[in-house]
Amino acid sequence: MTDQTLIILGASGDLTARLLLPGLGALLTAGHVPGLTLIGAATDDWDDARWRQRVHDSFGAHGASAAAESAGQRPPATYTAPAASDVADRARWVRTDVTDPDDLRRLLGEVHGSAVIFFALPPAVTAKACEALLGVDLPAGTRLVLEKPFGTGSASAAELNALLSRLVPEEQVHRVDHFLGKSTVLNILGLRFANRIFEPVLDAMHVESVEIVFDENLALEGRAGYYDKAGALADMIQSHLLQILALITMEAPFTMAAAEFRDRKADVLRATRLWDDPATSSLRARYTAGDLDGRKLPDYADEPGVDAARGTETLAEIVLAVDTWRWAGVPFRLRSGKAVGDSRKEAVITFKRPPRVPDGLHGCDQPDRLRIGFGPDHLAIDFNINGPGDPFELDPVTLEADFGQGDLPPYGEVLRGVFSDDPTLSVRADTAEQCWRIVEPVIEAWHSGAVPLREYPAGSSGPTLPLPR
Ligand SMILES: O=C1O[C@H](COP(=O)(O)O)[C@@H](O)[C@H](O)[C@H]1O
């Protein structure tokens, strides 16, 4: 493998310390990316020593634990293996205005081997940095890695895509969605396409509804600068939860080659739309002061850095239709909230009732369900059997299995794809635009005030929408 240089633009930020560097540390510790040089770049007046300390800290046990725990995984002891320490010891800080072509040219002069440029920047700055890069010769094979949110709507995503296509070929653009690096999310593929049991009943004939829920008991956690501009819809649904929907609904690719896998995901997202009017198919709400796990949380509007007038939602829910032969008529509820008391992170496929239960079998009307947990990672099947006691009295049972954990935390998995030039787990240009297209009627209705901003006390379960029948 040739030497590579990872340049992080916006390297002094929270994303770099909290997720990116721990993921990188895990990857290096697992023996990937030999010969890596790491360069941090931002306008901050840091030096190599300060950056190296940041890298060491994030590679160390604390950062590693945070990354692993947020992935619902058991934290490994440490990521400061010699290979990771060595990269941290040699890391360089290059003070850079990422919107200035001269600065970027100087920065790229430091590249050893091929370059990976990670934009750990807000969307507007990312676009400016890409424009500045148009005036710079990029080393052959340069990969560009972009974080969510990718644009702020389908038009700005299309503009950014057009800009990126002038810099490098699409296969060298990696739009990161770290949920695609979660082992439990990727397990959906094995569950669906490597078994005979489930796939034949995953369709509109057998499935009543599908829920994809990511309710967290985390609140704002000091991220107002980013979150207050994004909100729950863009932060979680437009990005991560639509990727999960694509994995649950896509047709089987012939091979796992990036092009085929991404084609199948794109097919199904193109067929996805809001179920009905945003007034009935979307919900937005914001937490007010409350108690959560013994912590007193302030009203979201009083959190430091929040602009209450912006009306940002901390809980969003939408109901979608997937207009394919397989799924037409099945409602998909996508929901995510912050500061929710009952932390629930799962996809639940609820099956229709059996066409007829024989007279004389009685006592239980629980529908069959397949539940895929995203933290902790597990799989459960709820169904009815005769059970103990009266042999004609039905009882609900649950078969459960814990998914084995992946070797790497989600950011490590995604970065592995970037460094090995494999875009399978990255979001393709057309898909990024489709994901905005799907939520745009909701955004417009929310902006026009057609859907009121509801409230829920922090620590409560928050409001929900009735599912269409
Ligand atoms: O990208 C994000 O994801 C996290 C949830 O993912 P996890 O891997 O940390 O469980 C979410 O808390 C955050 O708001 C969002 O930006």
Side-chain angles (χ1 to χ4, degrees), residues 2-62:
T2 54
D3 290 348
Q4 308 194 52
T5 297
L6 170 63
I7 297 176
I8 304 177
L9 303 181
S12 53
D14 168 70
L15 171 81
T16 303
R18 223 167 33 86
L19 295 166
L20 177 50
L21 290 175
L24 180 65
L27 196 64
L28 294 167
T29 299
H32 299 279
V33 222
L36 179 73
T37 301
L38 174 62
I39 299 180
T43 45
D44 303 70
D45 195 11
W46 288 14
D47 57 11
D48 289 348
R50 177 148 182 202
W51 169 235
R52 286 173 189 166
Q53 190 55 53
R54 165 65 61 96
V55 178
H56 270 292
D57 290 348
S58 291
F59 279 3
H62 175 71

Coordinates of all heavy atoms in Angstrom, one line a residue, residues 2-62:
T2 N 0.5 2.2 -0.8 CA 1.3 3.5 -0.9 C 1.1 4.3 0.4 O 0.1 4.2 1.0 CB 1.0 4.3 -2.1 OG1 -0.4 4.5 -2.1 CG2 1.4 3.6 -3.4
D3 N 2.1 5.2 0.7 CA 1.9 6.1 1.8 C 0.7 7.1 1.5 O 0.5 7.4 0.4 CB 3.2 6.9 2.0 CG 4.3 6.0 2.5 OD1 4.0 4.9 2.9 OD2 5.5 6.5 2.5
Q4 N 0.1 7.5 2.6 CA -1.0 8.4 2.5 C -0.9 9.5 3.5 O -0.4 9.3 4.6 CB -2.4 7.6 2.7 CG -2.5 6.4 1.9 CD -3.9 5.8 1.8 OE1 -4.9 6.6 1.5 NE2 -4.1 4.6 2.1
T5 N -1.5 10.6 3.1 CA -1.5 11.8 4.1 C -3.0 12.1 4.3 O -3.7 12.4 3.3 CB -0.7 13.0 3.5 OG1 0.6 12.6 3.4 CG2 -0.8 14.2 4.5
L6 N -3.4 12.2 5.6 CA -4.7 12.6 5.9 C -4.6 14.1 6.4 O -4.0 14.4 7.3 CB -5.3 11.7 7.0 CG -6.6 12.2 7.6 CD1 -7.8 12.3 6.6 CD2 -7.1 11.4 8.8
I7 N -5.3 14.9 5.6 CA -5.4 16.3 6.0 C -6.8 16.6 6.6 O -7.8 16.3 5.9 CB -5.2 17.3 4.8 CG1 -3.8 17.1 4.2 CG2 -5.4 18.7 5.2 CD1 -3.6 17.9 3.0
I8 N -6.9 17.1 7.8 CA -8.2 17.4 8.4 C -8.4 18.9 8.3 O -7.6 19.6 9.0 CB -8.3 16.9 9.8 CG1 -8.0 15.3 9.9 CG2 -9.7 17.1 10.4 CD1 -8.1 14.8 11.3
L9 N -9.4 19.3 7.6 CA -9.7 20.8 7.5 C -10.7 21.0 8.6 O -11.7 20.4 8.6 CB -10.2 21.2 6.2 CG -9.4 20.9 4.9 CD1 -10.1 21.3 3.6 CD2 -8.0 21.5 5.0
G10 N -10.4 22.0 9.5 CA -11.3 22.2 10.6 C -10.9 21.3 11.8 O -11.7 20.8 12.6
A11 N -9.6 21.1 11.9 CA -9.1 20.0 12.8 C -9.2 20.4 14.3 O -9.1 19.5 15.2 CB -7.6 19.7 12.5
S12 N -9.5 21.7 14.6 CA -9.5 22.0 16.0 C -10.9 21.8 16.6 O -11.2 22.0 17.8 CB -9.1 23.5 16.2 OG -9.9 24.3 15.3
G13 N -11.9 21.4 15.7 CA -13.3 21.3 16.2 C -13.6 20.0 17.0 O -12.8 19.1 17.1
D14 N -14.9 20.0 17.4 CA -15.4 19.0 18.3 C -15.5 17.6 17.5 O -15.1 16.6 18.1 CB -16.8 19.5 18.7 CG -17.6 18.4 19.4 OD1 -17.2 18.0 20.5 OD2 -18.6 18.0 18.8
L15 N -15.9 17.7 16.3 CA -16.0 16.4 15.5 C -14.7 15.6 15.4 O -14.7 14.4 15.6 CB -16.6 16.7 14.1 CG -16.5 15.6 13.1 CD1 -17.8 14.7 13.4 CD2 -16.5 16.0 11.7
T16 N -13.7 16.4 15.2 CA -12.3 15.8 15.0 C -11.9 15.1 16.3 O -11.5 13.9 16.3 CB -11.3 16.9 14.7 OG1 -11.7 17.5 13.5 CG2 -9.9 16.3 14.5
A17 N -12.1 15.8 17.4 CA -11.7 15.2 18.7 C -12.6 14.0 19.2 O -12.1 13.0 19.7 CB -11.6 16.3 19.8
R18 N -13.9 14.2 18.9 CA -14.8 13.3 19.5 C -15.0 12.0 18.7 O -15.2 10.9 19.3 CB -16.2 14.0 19.7 CG -16.9 13.7 21.0 CD -18.0 14.7 21.2 NE -18.7 15.1 20.0 CZ -19.7 14.5 19.4 NH1 -20.2 13.4 19.9 NH2 -20.3 14.9 18.3
L19 N -15.0 12.1 17.4 CA -15.3 11.0 16.6 C -14.2 10.6 15.6 O -13.9 9.4 15.4 CB -16.6 11.2 15.8 CG -17.9 11.4 16.7 CD1 -19.0 12.0 15.9 CD2 -18.3 10.1 17.3
L20 N -13.7 11.6 14.9 CA -12.8 11.3 13.8 C -11.5 10.7 14.3 O -11.1 9.6 13.8 CB -12.6 12.6 13.0 CG -11.6 12.6 11.8 CD1 -11.9 11.4 10.9 CD2 -11.8 13.9 11.1
L21 N -10.8 11.3 15.2 CA -9.6 10.8 15.7 C -9.7 9.5 16.4 O -8.9 8.6 16.2 CB -8.9 11.9 16.6 CG -8.3 13.1 15.8 CD1 -7.8 14.2 16.8 CD2 -7.3 12.7 14.8
P22 N -10.7 9.3 17.3 CA -10.8 8.0 17.9 C -11.0 6.9 16.9 O -10.5 5.8 17.0 CB -12.1 8.1 18.8 CG -12.1 9.6 19.2 CD -11.6 10.3 18.0
G23 N -11.8 7.2 15.8 CA -12.0 6.2 14.7 C -10.7 5.9 14.1 O -10.4 4.7 13.8
L24 N -9.9 7.0 13.8 CA -8.6 6.8 13.2 C -7.7 6.0 14.1 O -7.0 5.1 13.6 CB -8.0 8.2 12.9 CG -6.6 8.1 12.2 CD1 -6.7 7.5 10.8 CD2 -6.0 9.6 12.1
G25 N -7.7 6.3 15.4 CA -6.9 5.6 16.3 C -7.2 4.1 16.3 O -6.3 3.2 16.3
A26 N -8.5 3.7 16.2 CA -8.9 2.3 16.2 C -8.3 1.7 14.9 O -7.9 0.5 15.0 CB -10.4 2.2 16.3
L27 N -8.4 2.4 13.8 CA -8.0 1.8 12.5 C -6.5 1.6 12.5 O -6.1 0.5 12.1 CB -8.4 2.9 11.5 CG -8.4 2.4 10.0 CD1 -9.4 1.4 9.8 CD2 -8.6 3.6 9.1
L28 N -5.8 2.5 13.1 CA -4.3 2.3 13.1 C -3.9 1.2 14.1 O -3.0 0.4 13.8 CB -3.6 3.6 13.6 CG -3.8 4.8 12.6 CD1 -3.4 6.1 13.3 CD2 -2.9 4.6 11.4
T29 N -4.6 1.1 15.2 CA -4.3 0.1 16.2 C -4.6 -1.3 15.6 O -3.9 -2.3 15.9 CB -5.2 0.3 17.5 OG1 -4.8 1.6 18.0 CG2 -5.0 -0.8 18.5
A30 N -5.6 -1.4 14.7 CA -5.9 -2.7 14.1 C -5.0 -2.9 12.9 O -5.1 -3.9 12.2 CB -7.4 -2.6 13.6
G31 N -4.0 -2.1 12.7 CA -2.9 -2.4 11.7 C -3.2 -1.9 10.3 O -2.5 -2.2 9.4
H32 N -4.3 -1.1 10.2 CA -4.6 -0.5 8.8 C -3.8 0.8 8.6 O -3.2 1.4 9.5 CB -6.1 -0.2 8.7 CG -6.9 -1.4 8.9 ND1 -7.2 -2.3 7.9 CD2 -7.6 -1.9 10.0 CE1 -8.0 -3.3 8.3 NE2 -8.3 -3.0 9.6
V33 N -3.7 1.2 7.4 CA -3.1 2.4 6.9 C -1.6 2.6 7.4 O -1.3 3.6 8.0 CB -3.9 3.7 7.3 CG1 -3.9 4.7 6.2 CG2 -5.3 3.5 7.8
P34 N -0.8 1.6 7.1 CA 0.7 1.8 7.4 C 1.2 3.0 6.6 O 0.7 3.2 5.5 CB 1.3 0.5 7.0 CG 0.4 -0.1 6.0 CD -1.0 0.3 6.4
G35 N 2.1 3.7 7.1 CA 2.7 4.8 6.3 C 1.8 6.1 6.3 O 1.8 6.8 5.3
L36 N 1.0 6.3 7.3 CA 0.1 7.4 7.3 C 0.8 8.7 7.9 O 1.4 8.6 8.9 CB -1.2 7.1 8.1 CG -2.2 8.3 8.2 CD1 -2.9 8.5 6.8 CD2 -3.2 8.1 9.3
T37 N 0.6 9.8 7.3 CA 1.0 11.1 7.8 C -0.3 11.8 8.1 O -1.3 11.8 7.3 CB 1.8 11.9 6.8 OG1 3.0 11.1 6.5 CG2 2.2 13.3 7.4
L38 N -0.4 12.5 9.3 CA -1.6 13.2 9.7 C -1.3 14.7 9.8 O -0.4 15.1 10.5 CB -2.1 12.6 11.1 CG -3.3 13.3 11.7 CD1 -4.5 13.2 10.8 CD2 -3.5 12.7 13.1
I39 N -2.1 15.5 9.1 CA -1.9 16.9 9.2 C -3.3 17.6 9.6 O -4.3 17.3 9.1 CB -1.6 17.5 7.8 CG1 -0.2 16.9 7.3 CG2 -1.5 19.0 7.9 CD1 0.2 17.5 6.0
G40 N -3.2 18.4 10.7 CA -4.3 19.2 11.1 C -4.2 20.6 10.5 O -3.1 21.2 10.5
A41 N -5.4 21.1 10.1 CA -5.4 22.4 9.5 C -6.6 23.2 9.9 O -7.7 22.7 9.9 CB -5.4 22.3 7.9
A42 N -6.4 24.4 10.3 CA -7.4 25.4 10.7 C -6.8 26.7 10.9 O -5.5 26.8 10.8 CB -8.1 24.9 12.0
T43 N -7.6 27.7 11.1 CA -7.0 29.1 11.3 C -6.4 29.2 12.7 O -5.7 30.2 13.0 CB -8.1 30.2 11.1 OG1 -9.3 29.8 11.8 CG2 -8.4 30.4 9.6
D44 N -6.7 28.3 13.6 CA -6.2 28.5 15.0 C -4.7 28.5 15.0 O -4.0 27.8 14.3 CB -6.7 27.3 15.9 CG -8.2 27.1 15.8 OD1 -8.7 26.7 14.8 OD2 -8.8 27.3 16.8
D45 N -4.2 29.3 16.0 CA -2.8 29.5 16.1 C -2.2 28.4 16.9 O -1.6 28.7 18.0 CB -2.6 30.9 16.8 CG -1.1 31.4 16.6 OD1 -0.4 30.7 15.8 OD2 -0.8 32.4 17.3
W46 N -2.3 27.2 16.5 CA -1.8 26.0 17.2 C -0.4 25.7 16.6 O 0.0 26.2 15.6 CB -2.6 24.8 17.1 CG -3.9 24.8 17.8 CD1 -4.5 25.9 18.4 CD2 -4.8 23.7 18.0 NE1 -5.7 25.6 19.0 CE2 -5.9 24.3 18.8 CE3 -4.8 22.4 17.7 CZ2 -7.0 23.4 19.1 CZ3 -5.9 21.6 18.1 CH2 -7.0 22.1 18.8
D47 N 0.4 24.9 17.3 CA 1.6 24.4 16.8 C 1.6 22.8 16.8 O 0.6 22.2 17.2 CB 2.8 24.9 17.5 CG 2.8 24.6 19.0 OD1 1.9 23.7 19.4 OD2 3.6 25.1 19.8
D48 N 2.7 22.2 16.3 CA 2.7 20.8 16.2 C 2.4 20.2 17.6 O 1.7 19.2 17.7 CB 4.0 20.3 15.7 CG 4.2 20.6 14.2 OD1 3.2 21.0 13.5 OD2 5.4 20.5 13.7
A49 N 3.1 20.7 18.6 CA 3.0 20.1 19.9 C 1.5 20.1 20.4 O 1.1 19.1 20.9 CB 3.9 20.9 20.9
R50 N 0.8 21.2 20.2 CA -0.6 21.2 20.7 C -1.4 20.3 19.9 O -2.3 19.6 20.5 CB -1.1 22.7 20.6 CG -2.5 22.8 21.0 CD -2.9 24.1 21.6 NE -4.3 24.1 22.0 CZ -5.0 25.1 22.2 NH1 -4.4 26.3 22.0 NH2 -6.2 25.0 22.5
W51 N -1.2 20.2 18.6 CA -2.0 19.3 17.8 C -1.7 17.8 18.2 O -2.6 17.0 18.3 CB -1.7 19.6 16.4 CG -2.2 18.6 15.3 CD1 -1.5 18.0 14.4 CD2 -3.6 18.1 15.1 NE1 -2.3 17.2 13.6 CE2 -3.6 17.2 14.0 CE3 -4.8 18.4 15.7 CZ2 -4.7 16.6 13.6 CZ3 -5.9 17.8 15.3 CH2 -5.9 16.9 14.2
R52 N -0.4 17.5 18.4 CA 0.0 16.1 18.8 C -0.7 15.7 20.1 O -1.1 14.6 20.2 CB 1.5 16.0 18.9 CG 2.1 16.0 17.5 CD 3.7 16.1 17.5 NE 4.1 16.3 16.2 CZ 5.4 16.6 15.8 NH1 6.3 16.8 16.8 NH2 5.7 16.8 14.6
Q53 N -0.7 16.7 21.0 CA -1.4 16.4 22.3 C -2.9 16.1 22.1 O -3.4 15.1 22.6 CB -1.2 17.6 23.2 CG -1.7 17.3 24.7 CD -0.9 16.1 25.2 OE1 0.3 16.1 25.2 NE2 -1.6 15.1 25.7
R54 N -3.5 16.8 21.2 CA -4.9 16.6 20.9 C -5.1 15.2 20.3 O -6.0 14.5 20.6 CB -5.4 17.7 19.9 CG -6.7 17.5 19.2 CD -8.0 17.4 20.1 NE -8.2 18.6 20.9 CZ -9.1 19.6 20.5 NH1 -9.7 19.5 19.4 NH2 -9.3 20.6 21.3
V55 N -4.2 14.9 19.4 CA -4.3 13.6 18.7 C -4.1 12.4 19.7 O -4.8 11.5 19.8 CB -3.3 13.5 17.5 CG1 -3.3 12.1 16.9 CG2 -3.5 14.6 16.5
H56 N -3.0 12.6 20.6 CA -2.8 11.6 21.6 C -4.0 11.4 22.5 O -4.4 10.3 22.8 CB -1.6 11.9 22.4 CG -0.3 11.4 21.9 ND1 0.0 10.1 21.8 CD2 0.8 12.1 21.3 CE1 1.2 9.9 21.2 NE2 1.7 11.1 20.9
D57 N -4.5 12.5 22.9 CA -5.7 12.5 23.9 C -6.9 11.7 23.2 O -7.5 10.9 23.8 CB -6.2 13.9 24.3 CG -5.2 14.5 25.2 OD1 -4.2 13.9 25.7 OD2 -5.3 15.8 25.4
S58 N -7.1 12.1 22.0 CA -8.3 11.4 21.3 C -8.0 10.0 20.9 O -8.9 9.2 20.9 CB -8.6 12.2 20.0 OG -9.2 13.5 20.4
F59 N -6.8 9.7 20.6 CA -6.4 8.3 20.4 C -6.5 7.4 21.7 O -6.6 6.2 21.6 CB -5.0 8.1 19.8 CG -4.8 8.4 18.4 CD1 -5.9 8.8 17.6 CD2 -3.6 8.2 17.7 CE1 -5.8 9.1 16.2 CE2 -3.4 8.5 16.4 CZ -4.5 8.9 15.6
G60 N -6.3 8.1 22.8 CA -6.2 7.4 24.1 C -7.5 6.8 24.5 O -8.5 6.9 23.9
A61 N -7.5 6.3 25.7 CA -8.6 5.5 26.2 C -9.9 6.3 26.3 O -10.9 5.7 25.9 CB -8.3 5.0 27.6
H62 N -9.8 7.5 26.6 CA -11.1 8.3 26.7 C -11.8 8.4 25.4 O -13.0 8.1 25.3 CB -10.8 9.7 27.3 CG -12.0 10.5 27.3 ND1 -13.0 10.3 28.2 CD2 -12.4 11.6 26.6 CE1 -14.0 11.2 28.0 NE2 -13.6 11.9 27.0

